[in-house]
């Protein structure tokens, strides 16, 4: 179910990705304890993206994360929100 596994070119999980992990025992709406934030972001939303995602630091607004030289931005939605989909994210 879902996207094919890497190294299939259609995999959204290939390359370096940024994930969130629920440390409180909770789950995201899909039932997983983790959410891939940068998987499947359209290329048009990632112009100028650096492959380096080290030392991720959330902004206090909960809608953006600094990772390497990238700012991952979900617009008006918190990164953890179900409405924060790859189509909403800009890097």
């Amino acid at each position: 179910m879902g996207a094919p596994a890497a190294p299939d070119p259609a995999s959204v999980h290939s390359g370096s990705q940024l994930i969130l992990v629920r440390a409180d025992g909770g789950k995201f709406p899909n039932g997983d304890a983790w959410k891939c934030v940068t998987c499947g972001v359209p290329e048009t939303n990632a112009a100028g993206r650096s492959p380096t995602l080290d030392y991720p630091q959330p902004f206090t607004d909960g809608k953006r994360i600094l990772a390497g030289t990238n700012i991952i931005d979900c617009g008006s939605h918190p990164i953890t929100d179900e409405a924060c989909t790859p189509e909403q994210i800009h890097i």
Side-chain angles (χ1 to χ4, degrees), residues 50-74:
S50 166
T52 306
L53 296 171
D54 54 352
Y55 306 106
Q57 302 170 52
F59 284 72
T60 58
D61 63 9
K63 299 173 185 172
R64 298 171 294 153
I65 299 171
L66 173 66
T69 58
N70 299 293
I71 295 177
I72 295 99
D73 184 341
C74 201

